[in-house]
Structure formats: structure tokens, C-alpha cells
Amino acid sequence: MKFIHTADWHLGKLVHGVYMTEDQSYMLKQLVKLVEEEQPDCLVIAGDLYDRSVPPVAAVELLNEVLFTINVKLGVPIVAIGGNHDSAERLSFGSSWYQQSDFYLAGKLKDTVDSVNIKGVNFHLVPFAEPGLVKYAFNDDRIISHEEAMKAIIEKIEKKMNHNEPNVLVGHAFVLGGETTDSERILSVGGSGCVSARNFDLFDYTALGHLHSPDAISHNKIKYAGSLMKYSFSEAKQQKSVSIVEMNANGTFQLERKSLIPLRDMREIEGYLDELLDERFYSEQKKDDYIKVTLLDEGALIDPINKLRQIYPNILHLERKRTLQDMKKKTKLNVLTDERKSELELFSHFYQEVTTAEFTEDKQNIIVDVIEKMRREGVGR
Amino acid sequence: MKFIHTADWHLGKLVHGVYMTEDQSYMLKQLVKLVEEEQPDCLVIAGDLYDRSVPPVAAVELLNEVLFTINVKLGVPIVAIGGNHDSAERLSFGSSWYQQSDFYLAGKLKDTVDSVNIKGVNFHLVPFAEPGLVKYAFNDDRIISHEEAMKAIIEKIEKKMNHNEPNVLVGHAFVLGGETTDSERILSVGGSGCVSARNFDLFDYTALGHLHSPDAISHNKIKYAGSLMKYSFSEAKQQKSVSIVEMNANGTFQLERKSLIPLRDMREIEGYLDELLDERFYSEQKKDDYIKVTLLDEGALIDPINKLRQIYPNILHLERKRTLQDMKKKTKLNVLTDERKSELELFSHFYQEVTTAEFTEDKQNIIVDVIEKMRREGVGR
């Protein structure tokens, strides 16, 4: 039995004020193509289909089109859950109809856990829910944390579970406790939003969403699919993919990651303005990627963002490099709390605000000359 | 062939700050019961299922539950269109799946008109669309008005239409031109949002939504269902109902209106405060109806709304009766634009602001006495 595991599509996402819809559509077309080629028995989407509870209309249309193509046109069953970014109730609308064509969507946690058997594999659908909601749905006052909520959910599953068939939990949570993490320590320190990996021991495969890196956990049976694409510069170095899982009848599996190629990559570049605007530099680059630029120049620059945008039309963020030493220097001066500073001090402060260079003695001498000249000529006060 | 025609549910509606969800749920339970009893071949909902493009979660859940009960549990096909209050795209989500169980939902106008045959009757689904959208969808620059848009839509329908079977248009529009209305005159005067009844001559029955009274048009083949319930005090005297239509093979039909009983009626009462608070008055009334009170009292009243609320907990609006003469009187005086008014004038103005009675000479004399007494004693200026 073969399924594709994906998560965190975040349709309708804005990154630095730019809608990602075109890029998401491009990625999802590749996913549809992959589904056509791989002919899996099921597509698993582990939450955060949308980026927010009321997604923009274009996102609604895109999700509708992609899911209908996969589910009805290609006839592939879908198992999907709501994530913390989805509105449980809004996402749930229509789910009773979808079941008729093997599209199983659990938007909202109920007092029972939906389970569905697809070609001999049981999928248990655990949509994201705040502990307070689980407490209410299960009428169990002892549930305070995500850890307790997940324990209670899994107890419910266990009661009805068929251990003679492979079992897959589909969830959306911050799970800690892979081979490299001492999860108990982290939990006790106060990772209140976290869930311990040990909860999932029962399952042959735990198909997770929530964390955006497919490497967010290192565990032989608990896996994040990772997000559909990079949604933040903090993810710039991550390799995004979907997971193709071949599940054997005894619950063992083989997992293969397939990378999808973004329309525009998200990456960071760093350098001096002149350098970045030099054809020898940018000619080898995909200039329409989403780019964060860090400028190394000191001193004032005239309209660097527009100069850069001529070359890199999709620049999303620009910043100047500041060393820790610069920061420290800055805190020593505070022009607003002492009005009796000399012109030289004021200029020195200004210089350090707008540049990252040292206000050397040579530079100071030039300014002192200018100030004295102005005073003689009666400019200023 | 029998269908039930309803429209303008406006789920999620707020009336004077109060959510109507409980009342709507109560009405829809009766509709579900009616469907069970009547066993129609189809339920027609002619737009405005929701009151706004992003309805509250409770409204989403209510619609989902009611439609699923009727369509899947009771196995009754549904034909529904989007109205001007619905979001075309949001409402459309999932419609491709719904078709599989004979739930035909046209949320958004496309370049072709959806038609569906149910037991020998053709339903043509015309969701509400602004003329600009029809112009764009049909790529026809001549479309400026609603009238032109509807003409273009009906031309499309006509090309594919089977005239040997009954044809029903399901639309959401302001249609003018019943037996009692000279629509051409009204249209030429500038009713730009209106559509002429003549457009629908082709159809054996035109199932409309938009106007909230089932009597909004008097025409033998063009019918409004009216809204699910009263949504404004201007509708207080309307009799709300759903229409049960028995369609014959030759396109003639019998129509019967079935009234649904509201949980709380919406009605207006008028009288003096003491009268309305008198048990002999209210003991015969359903006190928890949604009520608009018009008080006939003149003179200042101390906190009348809270006194009334003790008896009528769902009072939504309170106003004082003012005659046309009062209004005229008021416009003559404007204390803010003339600061040189005498105390008597100021008081006269105040008296007329807070009462609806005449400021008679007797009353004036009393005030003149008071003012003079105050002046003598040095109070005031």
C-alpha cells in the first residue's frame, strides 16, 4: 500500500506582504503530476491546508481545484486534517459529502476519532485542537496540556484499534523526542506546546504536520512531511519535499522523499551594494527568486532598495549588517536624553546611526572645520 | 414532479445587534420536517444562503447540517445558487463533490449556465452576479446593466434549452413587471438594479430570491419564495412561507404556500409606557417576541428601555412618536447657530427636543417665572 505524505500548504499565505498563491499553484501542479505518476492509494495532508481561518478567495479556489483533481478526476482517496492555521469549522463544511468519494477530511476534533481503512491500512485522523477544546470534547477535566490531550486522544484510538493491520496516525503537533532529542527534559523545562514522541509508539507511521522542515524530527516511525514550500527566510536552507511511503502488511515501510521545484526559490544574499548590482555577480543567479539582501556597506546609501529591485524584482527584505560592537556603541549615546551635546557629539551620534564605520579622528576634524565655518558665517543658532 | 422553493435564509444575520442563528435553526428544523412529509423531488434555494461573504462559524455549521440532512440523509436533491449576500467563490467550494449526491450548487457565474434535469424538469441555475462580472465572464462589452446581463444569460440558456420539457429558472434578482407594475416605465426612470419580467417569458416557472416578501411580484409564472423569516421591522406584517410547486409535464403548475412558525415573531407595538407595562396589556401577548416599541408619551421618561425590557426581554428597538409637525417645528430652531437666544427660547428648544407636546403659553409663563426668580437670586450668569 502506497501513500504520499504532505502537510503545511498554507494556501493564502502572505510572505513580507506578497501573496504566495502563484507559487503555491505551481507547486501543487507538480504534486498533481506526481500523484498521476505514482498512483498512490491515498494522499495524506497533515494540516494547515490554509494559512488562516478566513483564507482569501484565490486560496479557496486553488484548494478546491487541486483536491477535486486528485480525488475525483484521478480517483485517489484523500485523508486530511485541520491544522492550527485552519478554521476547524469552516474547513469541515461539506466533509460529509466528500466521504462519498473517499475524501476523508477531519477539520474539527469531535468526541470520537475518525478512522478510515484504505487498502488494509488504518488511518487515524487527529486534527489540531487546543487542550481546552479536547477537554471539552472529551468531557475530561484532567486535560490541561497538549501532552495530556494527545494521550487522551490516543487512548480513544487504542480502544478501537486493529493491531493486526498497519496503523497510521495523521496529526498536527509539535512532537519532540527523536533519537537526538531528550524530549522529557525539554517538556519538563516548559515546552507546554509540545507532545512527547513516546505517545506514538503504537503506530507504525505517524504522519505529522506543523513543523516546516522534513528533518524536524529524527525518528524511525514519526515523520514530518515539511511544508509545501519555503515560507520564511529562516527556512531558506531547508530542502522541501513530499514523502512517498510504501507500507508493508507487517507495518514496516520504505520512505522516499521527492523534491518539488519552486517557481521562485527563497534565498539570502549578502554583499556590498555595488557588488550585488554587478552583472558578473547576478548573471549567474535566478534573479526573480524571493530574496533577502544583507548589505555590508557602511555609510549612507541612496535608495538601495530601488536600485536592487531593478535587478532583483522580488526582493522581499533588505537589511544592513551590524556587528555586535556597533550595537554596543549605539547604546552608549542617546541624543534625546541630553540636549546639551555639542554639534560634534550630535554629528558623531548621527554618523553612527547611519553607518557602521568608525567615526575616526580624521573624519572628526573635517566636521569640526565645517561646524566652525558655519558658526563664523552665522548659520545655525 | 414536485419541488419546494425557498430563498433568502441569510444565515449568520444580525438584527439590531442580535444573532438570529437560534431562530433560523428553529425555522430550518421545520423545513426539514416539511421535506420529510412532502417528499419533494427537489429543494430549490434561490440565493442568499448566508447573510455575508464570511459568515460566522455557527452559520456555517447550521447550513452544513441542514443541507446534509436534506440531501444525504433524506436523499432529496438540492438546487441552490449564490445570492448577492453570499461569497460566490467561498460558497462554491466543494460543489463538484456535492453533485455526486444530486446537490447542485452554483455559487459563481461562469461562462456557461449550469442546467440540471430532475425527473423531467430542467432547472437553470443563475447565481447573482454584478453586470461587470457577467460582462467579463461572457466577454461581452455591451453588458452594462442588470437587465442586459440577464438578457445575455438567458440567450445562453435558450440555445441549449429543451422546450419539450418544463423549464425552471432559478435566479436572484430584483424583477419588476407583474400584472400590477408597469416595469418598462420604472426601468426607464432609472431602476438600474432591476430586471424586466419579460426576460423570463421562456420559462414555465421562475424561482426567485432577493426580495423578502413572497408577494413582491404578482405574476403567474414568476415567483419569489420570500425570506426564511422576518429580518427587519419593515417585514413585520409579511407572512413568510415556502412554496410547494407541483409541476405538470406540460409546464403548468399548482403552487401552495406553507407557513413556517417562528420561534419568536418580529412585531411592532405602540402605546404609552404605562399602558405597555400594564399586565392587562401584555398578558395576552407573546412577550419574548422581537419587538419594536413606539412610545406615545410626551415629556421626559426615566429609563423606559429597561422598564420595557423587564416585560419584553427581546425588545430590539425603541422610539418616540413624532408627528410631521414636530419635525417642522424643530427645524425652525437651531440653538447651536445662534448663541444670543434668550433663556426662554433655549428652554423652548429643549422642551421640544425632549417631548412631542406643544410648549403652550401656560407652560411658557411658568418658565418665565422660574427664570426671573433665578435671576433675582443671582443664579445663572
Side-chain angles (χ1 to χ4, degrees):
Chain A
M1 190 272 182
K2 177 161 77 175
F3 64 87
I4 294 180
H5 172 198
T6 171
D8 296 275
W9 290 5
H10 288 273
L11 302 189
K13 175 113 185 147
L14 273 165
V15 178
H16 292 273
V18 175
Y19 273 111
M20 292 289 115
T21 314
E22 188 188 356
D23 304 82
Q24 292 168 323
S25 171
Y26 185 89
M27 295 302 265
L28 289 174
K29 272 186 192 125
Q30 288 176 66
L31 177 65
V32 168
K33 210 164 156 241
L34 185 68
V35 168
E36 277 185 289
E37 288 164 9
E38 291 285 335
Q39 308 232 347
D41 297 302
C42 164
L43 174 71
V44 174
I45 315 171
D48 284 357
L49 286 80
Y50 291 124
D51 190 57
R52 43 193 153 127
S53 57
V54 180
V57 158
V60 172
E61 294 190 313
L62 177 58
L63 186 66
N64 189 61
E65 189 198 322
V66 169
L67 296 186
F68 188 72
T69 302
I70 292 174
N71 179 239
V72 180
K73 291 190 185 163
L74 301 179
V76 174
I78 297 176
V79 168
I81 60 169
N84 55 313
H85 282 253
D86 299 304
S87 159
E89 295 84 2
R90 292 182 204 283
L91 192 65
S92 293
F93 190 97
S95 50
S96 318
W97 280 274
Y98 308 150
Q99 286 190 22
Q100 300 174 96
S101 58
D102 290 324
F103 169 17
Y104 304 94
L105 173 61
K108 190 179 177 181
L109 190 94
K110 294 173 295 190
D111 57 347
T112 55
V113 175
D114 290 331
S115 295
V116 53
N117 186 298
I118 297 175
K119 295 220 170 165
V121 175
N122 298 301
F123 291 88
H124 307 281
L125 282 66
V126 182
F128 177 86
E130 292 292 347
L133 278 171
V134 182
K135 170 177 150 180
Y136 175 79
F138 289 7
N139 195 20
D140 182 346
D141 279 345
R142 292 165 307 170
I143 296 170
I144 307 288
S145 68
H146 278 273
E147 176 74 3
E148 289 155 347
M150 188 59 82
K151 259 191 217 318
I153 291 167
I154 290 174
E155 273 169 28
K156 289 234 173 204
I157 297 173
E158 200 177 355
K159 282 181 192 156
K160 304 189 303 174
M161 198 164 153
N162 179 352
H163 292 274
N164 299 320
E165 291 173 324
N167 285 287
V168 175
L169 183 138
V170 183
H172 191 89
F174 190 165
V175 178
L176 278 177
E179 283 101 21
T180 57
T181 327
D182 178 0
S183 72
E184 292 311 306
R185 195 179 58 83
I186 294 169
L187 284 173
S188 69
V189 165
S192 66
C194 304
V195 168
S196 157
R198 294 193 310 192
N199 289 302
F200 306 99
D201 284 350
L202 282 176
F203 302 96
D204 299 293
Y205 185 95
T206 296
L208 290 174
H210 195 41
L211 300 183
H212 284 197
S213 165
D215 299 314
I217 193 168
S218 172
H219 190 286
N220 61 337
K221 297 196 301 175
I222 302 174
K223 306 287 180 184
Y224 281 97
S227 56
L228 181 67
M229 47 180 274
K230 297 175 186 176
Y231 286 126
S232 148
F233 286 106
S234 68
E235 301 173 25
K237 293 198 168 60
Q238 292 177 11
Q239 183 66 45
K240 302 294 185 183
S241 60
V242 296
S243 302
I244 302 179
V245 182
E246 288 269 8
M247 178 67 69
N248 306 314
N250 65 359
T252 61
F253 62 87
Q254 294 78 47
L255 187 149
E256 182 194 359
R257 287 190 190 163
K258 285 267 182 181
S259 297
L260 306 178
I261 309 304
L263 179 61
R264 289 171 277 244
D265 196 9
M266 189 170 279
R267 59 191 178 85
E268 299 177 307
I269 57 178
E270 187 177 297
Y272 292 91
L273 184 59
D274 285 345
E275 200 175 71
L276 302 184
L277 298 176
D278 191 316
E279 200 179 341
R280 283 166 297 178
F281 177 81
Y282 65 70
S283 61
E284 285 163 32
Q285 307 216 3
K286 268 197 73 188
K287 288 174 291 179
D288 64 345
D289 281 347
Y290 292 118
I291 287 172
K292 172 183 166 184
V293 172
T294 304
L295 287 179
L296 299 176
D297 306 72
E298 58 189 51
L301 293 170
I302 297 162
D303 204 11
I305 184 79
N306 278 319
K307 285 181 182 156
L308 286 162
R309 198 159 270 150
Q310 304 285 320
I311 308 298
Y312 311 99
N314 297 312
I315 183 168
L316 293 184
H317 188 67
L318 171 67
E319 62 181 43
R320 307 286 293 268
K321 187 92 168 187
R322 279 186 193 276
T323 62
L324 190 61
Q325 213 182 352
D326 297 329
M327 309 282 190
K328 277 188 194 151
K329 243 189 275 168
K330 228 179 118 184
T331 55
K332 278 192 217 151
L333 286 160
N334 193 339
V335 71
L336 291 171
T337 55
D338 184 359
E339 293 188 351
R340 289 165 305 171
K341 284 188 197 299
S342 71
E343 284 89 347
L344 183 63
E345 281 173 310
L346 284 168
F347 188 85
S348 160
H349 173 79
F350 170 74
Y351 189 85
Q352 284 169 77
E353 277 288 320
V354 299
T355 76
T356 53
E358 202 188 339
F359 190 45
T360 57
E361 214 177 319
D362 280 1
K363 292 175 186 172
Q364 289 187 31
N365 288 336
I366 296 168
I367 292 303
V368 167
D369 283 352
V370 171
I371 291 169
E372 285 185 356
K373 195 178 168 216
M374 284 169 71
R375 224 172 241 162
R376 278 197 307 273
E377 292 172 8
V379 184
R381 297 197 181 149
Chain B
M1 189 276 179
K2 177 160 80 175
F3 63 89
I4 294 180
H5 172 198
T6 173
D8 295 276
W9 290 4
H10 288 274
L11 301 188
K13 175 110 185 151
L14 273 165
V15 179
H16 291 275
V18 176
Y19 272 111
M20 293 289 115
T21 313
E22 189 189 355
D23 304 83
Q24 292 169 324
S25 172
Y26 186 88
M27 295 302 265
L28 289 174
K29 270 185 193 128
Q30 288 177 65
L31 178 65
V32 169
K33 210 164 156 242
L34 185 68
V35 168
E36 277 185 287
E37 288 163 9
E38 291 284 336
Q39 308 232 347
D41 298 301
C42 163
L43 174 71
V44 174
I45 315 170
D48 283 356
L49 286 82
Y50 290 126
D51 190 58
R52 42 195 153 124
S53 56
V54 180
V57 158
V60 172
E61 293 189 311
L62 177 58
L63 186 66
N64 189 60
E65 188 198 323
V66 169
L67 295 186
F68 188 72
T69 302
I70 293 174
N71 180 238
V72 179
K73 292 190 184 164
L74 301 178
V76 174
I78 298 176
V79 169
I81 59 169
N84 54 313
H85 282 254
D86 299 304
S87 159
E89 295 84 1
R90 292 183 203 281
L91 191 65
S92 293
F93 190 96
S95 51
S96 318
W97 280 275
Y98 307 150
Q99 286 189 22
Q100 300 174 96
S101 58
D102 291 325
F103 169 16
Y104 304 95
L105 173 61
K108 189 179 178 182
L109 191 95
K110 295 172 293 190
D111 58 347
T112 55
V113 176
D114 289 331
S115 296
V116 52
N117 186 298
I118 297 176
K119 294 222 171 165
V121 175
N122 298 301
F123 291 87
H124 307 282
L125 281 65
V126 183
F128 177 85
E130 292 292 347
L133 278 173
V134 183
K135 170 177 148 179
Y136 175 77
F138 288 8
N139 195 18
D140 181 347
D141 279 345
R142 292 164 307 170
I143 296 170
I144 307 290
S145 67
H146 277 275
E147 176 75 3
E148 289 154 348
M150 189 59 83
K151 260 193 217 318
I153 290 167
I154 290 174
E155 273 170 27
K156 289 235 174 203
I157 297 173
E158 199 178 357
K159 282 181 191 153
K160 305 190 303 175
M161 197 165 155
N162 179 354
H163 292 274
N164 298 322
E165 290 174 326
N167 284 287
V168 175
L169 183 138
V170 183
H172 191 89
F174 190 166
V175 177
L176 278 176
E179 283 102 20
T180 56
T181 328
D182 179 0
S183 74
E184 292 309 307
R185 195 178 58 82
I186 294 168
L187 284 174
S188 69
V189 166
S192 65
C194 304
V195 168
S196 159
R198 294 196 309 193
N199 289 302
F200 306 99
D201 284 349
L202 281 175
F203 301 96
D204 298 294
Y205 184 95
T206 297
L208 290 175
H210 195 41
L211 301 184
H212 284 196
S213 166
D215 299 313
I217 194 168
S218 170
H219 190 287
N220 61 338
K221 298 195 303 177
I222 302 174
K223 307 286 180 186
Y224 281 97
S227 57
L228 181 67
M229 49 178 274
K230 298 174 186 175
Y231 285 125
S232 148
F233 286 106
S234 67
E235 300 173 26
K237 294 199 169 57
Q238 292 177 12
Q239 182 65 45
K240 301 295 186 182
S241 60
V242 297
S243 303
I244 302 179
V245 182
E246 287 270 6
M247 178 66 68
N248 306 315
N250 65 0
T252 61
F253 62 87
Q254 293 80 46
L255 186 149
E256 183 193 359
R257 287 189 190 162
K258 286 266 184 184
S259 298
L260 306 179
I261 310 303
L263 180 61
R264 290 172 276 245
D265 197 10
M266 189 171 278
R267 58 190 178 86
E268 299 177 309
I269 58 178
E270 187 177 296
Y272 292 91
L273 184 58
D274 286 345
E275 200 175 70
L276 303 184
L277 298 176
D278 190 317
E279 199 180 341
R280 284 166 297 178
F281 178 81
Y282 65 71
S283 61
E284 287 163 30
Q285 305 217 3
K286 269 196 70 187
K287 288 174 291 181
D288 64 344
D289 282 348
Y290 291 119
I291 287 173
K292 172 183 165 183
V293 171
T294 305
L295 288 178
L296 299 176
D297 306 73
E298 58 189 50
L301 294 169
I302 296 163
D303 205 11
I305 184 80
N306 279 319
K307 286 180 182 158
L308 286 162
R309 199 160 271 151
Q310 304 285 321
I311 309 298
Y312 310 98
N314 297 312
I315 183 168
L316 292 184
H317 188 66
L318 171 67
E319 62 180 42
R320 306 286 293 268
K321 186 92 167 187
R322 281 186 192 275
T323 62
L324 191 60
Q325 215 182 349
D326 297 329
M327 309 283 192
K328 276 188 192 148
K329 245 190 271 166
K330 225 181 117 184
T331 54
K332 278 191 213 150
L333 286 161
N334 193 338
V335 71
L336 291 172
T337 56
D338 185 357
E339 295 188 351
R340 289 165 306 170
K341 285 187 197 301
S342 70
E343 284 88 347
L344 183 62
E345 281 173 312
L346 285 169
F347 187 83
S348 159
H349 173 79
F350 170 72
Y351 189 84
Q352 285 169 75
E353 277 287 321
V354 299
T355 77
T356 53
E358 201 187 338
F359 190 44
T360 59
E361 215 176 319
D362 281 1
K363 293 175 185 172
Q364 288 187 32
N365 288 337
I366 296 168
I367 293 303
V368 166
D369 282 354
V370 170
I371 292 169
E372 285 185 357
K373 194 178 168 215
M374 285 169 70
R375 222 172 244 163
R376 277 196 308 272
E377 293 174 7
V379 185
R381 295 195 180 151

